[in-house]
Amino acid sequence: MKDYKRYLITSALPYANGPIHIGHLAGVYVPSDIYTRYLRMKEADVISICGSDEHGVPITLKARNEGITPQEVVDRYHTLNKKAFEDFGISFDIYSRTSNKVHYETASEFFLNLYNKNEFVEKSTDQYYDEEAGCFLADRYITGTCPHCGNENAYGDQCEKCGTSLSPNELINPHSTISGSKPVLRETLHWYLPLDKYEGWLKKWILEDHKEWKVNVYGQCKSWIDQGLQPRAVSRDLDWGVPVPVKGAEGKVLYVWFDAPIGYISATKELTPHWEKYWKDPETKMVHFIGKDNIVFHCIIFPVMLKAEGSFILPVNVPANEFLNLENDKISTSRNWAVWLHEYLEEFPGKQDVLRYTLCSNAPETKDNDFTWKDFQARNNNELVAILGNFVNRTLVLTNNYYDGAVPESAQRDENDEAVLAEIARIRGNVETSLESFRFREALKEAINLARLGNKYLADAEPWKVIKNDPERVRTIMNISLQITANLTIILEPFLPFSMEKLRGWLNLSRCSWNEAGRTDLLLAGHRINKPELLFEKIEDDAVERQINKLQATKKANEAAAAKIVPSKDPVTFDEFSKVGIRTATILEAEKVPKTTKLLKLKIDTGLDVRTIVSGIAEYYEPETIIGWQISIVANLEPRKIKGIESKGMILMAEDKDGKLVMVTPTGKVSNGSMIK
Ligand SMILES: [Zn+2]
């Protein structure tokens, strides 16, 4: 493996129209943070770059829906998400944003550079234009009837009912969501990046030279390239974004996919005046951390942009993850099916590392994976508390009890002692290998094996028993346990930074470099440690049940919202309507129809007569409670026999979403037989 002089780590810029959830953390930010912390501990020259992606149509749509400006939308989520990252110890060197001035300058310059080198293809196409609002319409601003399923509210890019991808001109009866008017087709000029021109180069660069990329990433790239690449527009008719910096391009901005990855470059510029050595020196290893929805942008489109520009380096690896599901269902912002970071911290204060640990243990590295609250609880209770916490606590408590907190000198070590100590360096090596290959689950599993090793050593050696007969031997046991504990603060630091900071405090140990891991003299005899607290605490069943109940409530609310309203029926004339004799009436008697569950036999005073009506409401009304009620009936419905009883007319009912029937009654007293019209 090539040795690089420095590292440039980028993490996908979160889109600033919603808060961050556990899926983002598991897929992108926890792995990128582990990798960055590891490199920093190796004293590598490394910078970690991220920021908010603040342009594009969904942000303008959200602003319009809420009656605020796009800037207000992005300010809200930039602030919220920046804080969430800080709270979870995601240690970017900079968290910038694409609405910054430096980004506008950098993105414009990048575009101009390609423009001047004739890298773009100019093309005029017909696009929908809203004459009332005076603007071109992005696909999402056009709705109409889906040609596939007849959904009347399909968007210009997709029908959300049947899931079909659409283009705006496929919509039947399109209209603008801005003014409601029917849009017209108008010619507009745009610039295209000719990806097809780079197909041969991409084939060699990815398919031949980067066979080591993760299987899911390599496979997706191959399938894109095999399908054949098309020129892709880099500009849009929109008023929110980086203006296209050429004459005649008024009202056009850079397409968000073109502008966003340049955000990595502008954020680096903002961070350091020496930004060019990170972006232009082939001795820099650039790694993009992203989710699978971003593979095409970071493996194909952005590299083509960089290649076309000519002075930039390309990513060495793009370790994209698959998606994390939540309790067997796809995480969804619009359905509120998510665990939001800011809410997690309110409900589990101080437990950032527990979530980091669970998300890394269960990361969707090679396939989609599932987060469940039961698994979260089990990982905390059975691994963090029972193994890591237990070992650390016993070691520190015994050292305080036996030696008043002073590290004892190790006497003669036996064969097993030496084997255990040798294991530390071996574990470190394994963790390194896994981290360097972006296998974070495996790395964490191996790192926690060090705590397992310590736990087993202590349980086998039983110093609490040996102390009675052989206190000299206990000094050695405790010295070795303390060295393992000190090594944990190094090897687990990238994964559990909050807990390891605590542990260093109790050990009275300053931060060590990664290369010190494996040493067996990190704590010298006589060094004083402090009194520990619990590193992790058990998570009880009721805390987990609360979370599960919360999700179940969300599911119910979603189902209710999705329940369908019966579509409007065909029109009837007034004459037709007048034929139906709807009148008020009063219930005189009510009884269940024997051997049925749903039917009530009612005796009704209709003003015209007293008659019998059979009605299917027994599930909703007790007979004795409805006597005397005034109701509405269809009095001239042809009589029919139900269970042998002649029913003359029908009682009017409203049927709720869940099928429940409710009687329709006048809100004030009227005479029986009053016409309802
Ligand atoms: Zn459809």
Side-chain angles (χ1 to χ4, degrees):
M1 209 180 284
K2 183 178 161 163
D3 274 329
Y4 288 87
K5 267 195 189 150
R6 67 188 75 76
Y7 295 82
L8 171 61
I9 311 300
T10 74
S11 306
L13 306 185
Y15 199 55
N17 76 334
I20 303 275
H21 55 62
I22 55 169
H24 299 121
L25 214 54
V28 180
Y29 306 104
V30 164
S32 98
D33 190 58
I34 292 168
Y35 190 64
T36 305
R37 284 176 182 269
Y38 160 70
L39 291 173
R40 285 194 195 115
M41 289 176 74
K42 287 191 88 174
E43 291 160 2
D45 178 356
V46 54
I47 52 173
S48 170
I49 302 293
C50 195
S52 297
D53 174 5
E54 304 190 321
H55 294 135
V57 171
I59 284 169
T60 62
L61 267 177
K62 192 175 184 83
R64 184 174 290 276
N65 288 341
E66 295 188 16
I68 56 177
T69 65
Q71 189 65 48
E72 285 172 306
V73 172
V74 300
D75 284 351
R76 181 201 301 164
Y77 292 110
H78 175 74
T79 311
L80 186 73
N81 292 339
K82 185 169 194 275
K83 181 166 185 307
F85 285 132
E86 284 165 6
D87 286 344
F88 278 86
I90 308 296
S91 57
F92 302 126
D93 289 286
I94 184 165
Y95 189 75
S96 185
R97 53 196 307 193
T98 59
S99 62
N100 275 352
K101 187 162 167 274
V102 59
H103 177 68
Y104 273 63
E105 289 165 2
T106 308
S108 301
E109 197 185 310
F110 200 105
F111 178 93
L112 269 183
N113 207 324
L114 298 195
Y115 179 84
N116 291 331
K117 291 169 84 175
N118 280 321
E119 284 287 345
F120 295 128
V121 178
E122 285 183 12
K123 217 163 48 173
S124 282
T125 54
D126 283 340
Q127 272 180 29
Y128 275 122
Y129 184 86
D130 182 330
E131 288 178 313
E132 269 180 51
C135 62
F136 280 99
L137 295 168
D139 298 351
R140 280 264 143 176
Y141 277 115
I142 306 166
T143 59
T145 302
C146 169
H148 303 282
C149 75
N151 169 23
E152 289 176 10
N153 296 310
Y155 289 106
D157 57 351
Q158 197 190 22
C159 169
E160 295 195 337
K161 198 167 171 196
C162 69
T164 313
S165 288
L166 299 169
S167 71
N169 51 22
E170 288 178 82
L171 288 179
I172 301 159
N173 189 22
H175 49 269
S176 160
T177 60
I178 298 177
S179 67
S181 67
K182 193 177 160 60
V184 296
L185 285 170
R186 195 179 267 199
E187 198 177 39
T188 179
L189 178 74
H190 284 290
W191 291 267
Y192 290 73
L193 187 65
L195 295 177
D196 46 331
K197 211 178 104 183
Y198 288 88
E199 227 176 76
W201 171 73
L202 283 167
K203 262 186 194 158
K204 171 152 191 348
W205 178 61
I206 300 177
L207 303 185
E208 288 176 32
D209 298 349
H210 281 303
K211 292 199 163 119
E212 82 285 7
W213 283 7
K214 288 175 62 175
V215 176
N216 56 325
V217 178
Y218 186 92
Q220 216 190 93
C221 293
K222 184 170 185 325
S223 119
W224 274 86
I225 295 170
D226 287 351
Q227 277 171 38
L229 299 170
Q230 304 295 323
R232 208 169 162 119
V234 306
S235 52
R236 292 296 263 167
D237 292 292
L238 196 71
D239 58 2
W240 175 246
V242 179
V244 174
V246 296
K247 263 202 188 129
E250 289 73 28
K252 296 177 200 294
V253 296
L254 300 183
Y255 210 158
V256 65
W257 65 256
F258 183 83
D259 134 31
I262 299 174
Y264 298 136
I265 304 172
S266 25
T268 315
K269 275 189 186 176
E270 195 183 332
L271 174 69
T272 166
H274 308 296
W275 68 274
E276 275 176 304
K277 70 177 182 185
Y278 292 99
W279 278 99
K280 298 190 171 179
D281 181 356
E283 291 297 310
T284 298
K285 178 173 182 173
M286 173 156 74
V287 180
H288 296 311
F289 283 88
I290 55 167
K292 70 171 164 189
D293 49 337
N294 262 319
I295 291 175
V296 64
F297 296 107
H298 287 75
C299 297
I300 291 180
I301 297 176
F302 190 42
V304 165
M305 288 163 60
L306 295 170
K307 175 79 178 160
E309 200 279 349
S311 69
F312 287 92
I313 56 166
L314 298 166
V316 174
N317 210 322
V318 186
N321 276 335
E322 300 290 293
F323 284 158
L324 185 74
N325 294 325
L326 169 61
E327 301 281 356
N328 289 311
D329 199 354
K330 205 170 174 253
I331 294 182
S332 158
T333 302
S334 57
R335 288 185 297 121
N336 193 28
W337 190 259
V339 177
W340 307 105
L341 298 195
H342 58 286
E343 285 188 11
Y344 171 88
L345 269 193
E346 282 164 23
E347 281 152 46
F348 296 97
K351 295 202 192 317
Q352 288 93 328
D353 276 351
V354 180
L355 190 60
R356 286 178 66 118
Y357 182 82
T358 309
L359 294 179
C360 182
S361 308
N362 199 17
E365 283 183 359
T366 50
K367 58 176 179 55
D368 289 357
N369 231 339
D370 201 29
F371 175 94
T372 68
W373 282 108
K374 288 274 179 220
D375 177 63
F376 167 83
Q377 181 190 29
R379 298 225 181 245
N380 179 77
N381 293 356
N382 305 341
E383 296 169 21
L384 292 177
V385 175
I387 297 166
L388 175 58
N390 184 42
F391 168 63
V392 164
N393 190 56
R394 284 204 290 191
T395 301
L396 271 59
V397 166
L398 292 179
T399 304
N400 274 294
N401 289 353
Y402 298 160
Y403 315 111
D404 197 22
V407 175
E409 189 139 18
S410 170
Q412 190 67 41
R413 290 169 179 163
D414 65 22
E415 213 171 88
N416 180 48
D417 297 339
E418 296 294 352
V420 165
L421 287 172
E423 203 47 19
I424 303 175
R426 200 190 60 81
I427 288 175
R428 169 194 151 175
N430 289 348
V431 174
E432 270 178 30
T433 307
S434 302
L435 286 178
E436 304 271 1
S437 336
F438 308 107
R439 293 194 300 264
F440 296 95
R441 295 167 65 134
E442 188 183 277
L444 176 57
K445 202 171 169 194
E446 188 63 10
I448 220 73
N449 276 343
L450 183 57
R452 255 180 238 279
L453 176 79
N455 213 26
K456 182 171 187 310
Y457 177 72
L458 213 48
D460 292 347
E462 299 184 303
W464 45 89
K465 282 188 187 162
V466 179
I467 190 84
K468 291 162 203 153
N469 311 316
D470 191 355
E472 206 42 37
R473 172 69 193 144
V474 172
R475 291 180 159 275
T476 305
I477 298 168
M478 292 317 299
N479 184 290
I480 288 172
S481 300
L482 283 161
Q483 303 306 339
I484 295 173
T485 310
N487 273 284
L488 282 173
T489 68
I490 306 174
I491 287 176
L492 283 174
E493 162 73 19
F495 306 93
L496 306 172
F498 295 93
S499 312
M500 293 308 110
E501 193 181 350
K502 276 190 208 165
L503 184 51
R504 282 196 303 272
W506 299 333
L507 288 175
N508 212 359
L509 181 68
S510 53
R511 200 184 279 267
C512 301
S513 84
W514 183 265
N515 294 331
E516 290 176 275
R519 271 178 52 183
T520 54
D521 58 350
L522 288 170
L523 294 169
L524 296 176
H527 172 90
R528 292 205 94 85
I529 64 165
N530 299 314
K531 289 218 155 48
E533 291 159 39
L534 285 182
L535 199 52
F536 298 97
E537 54 191 20
K538 220 176 149 197
I539 291 175
E540 301 295 341
D541 289 347
D542 62 342
V544 164
E545 262 155 38
R546 258 201 309 281
Q547 297 304 321
I548 294 171
N549 291 342
K550 196 169 143 186
L551 284 171
Q552 269 163 358
T554 300
K555 188 158 263 181
K556 271 205 173 140
N558 286 339
E559 279 164 5
K564 289 195 190 74
I565 298 288
V566 179
S568 180
K569 294 184 177 174
D570 291 338
V572 293
T573 64
F574 185 77
D575 283 351
E576 283 166 329
F577 169 73
S578 305
K579 290 179 187 165
V580 184
I582 307 176
R583 294 171 184 262
T584 55
T586 297
I587 300 173
L588 302 175
E589 290 170 20
E591 61 182 276
K592 281 204 164 160
V593 177
K595 293 181 193 160
T596 69
T597 52
K598 292 186 178 170
L599 298 180
L600 287 189
K601 180 180 162 190
L602 307 170
K603 191 174 271 185
I604 304 277
D605 180 352
T606 67
L608 308 165
D609 53 21
V610 171
R611 61 170 86 171
T612 298
I613 294 182
V614 177
S615 182
I617 54 174
E619 284 174 287
Y620 309 105
Y621 294 101
E622 290 297 325
E624 57 272 24
T625 62
I626 57 173
I627 291 165
W629 282 19
Q630 199 159 45
I631 53 172
S632 315
I633 62 164
V634 179
N636 61 338
L637 196 66
E638 282 182 5
R640 62 191 260 245
K641 274 211 166 155
I642 301 173
K643 295 277 167 199
I645 306 162
E646 184 170 64
S647 177
K648 292 172 78 182
M650 187 177 75
I651 296 177
L652 291 185
M653 297 283 167
E655 184 175 8
D656 204 2
K657 278 171 187 162
D658 54 7
K660 186 181 163 197
L661 297 174
V662 179
M663 283 196 248
V664 179
T665 66
T667 56
K669 185 90 184 151
V670 289
S671 348
N672 288 332
S674 300
M675 291 300 295
I676 294 175
K677 46 191 180 179

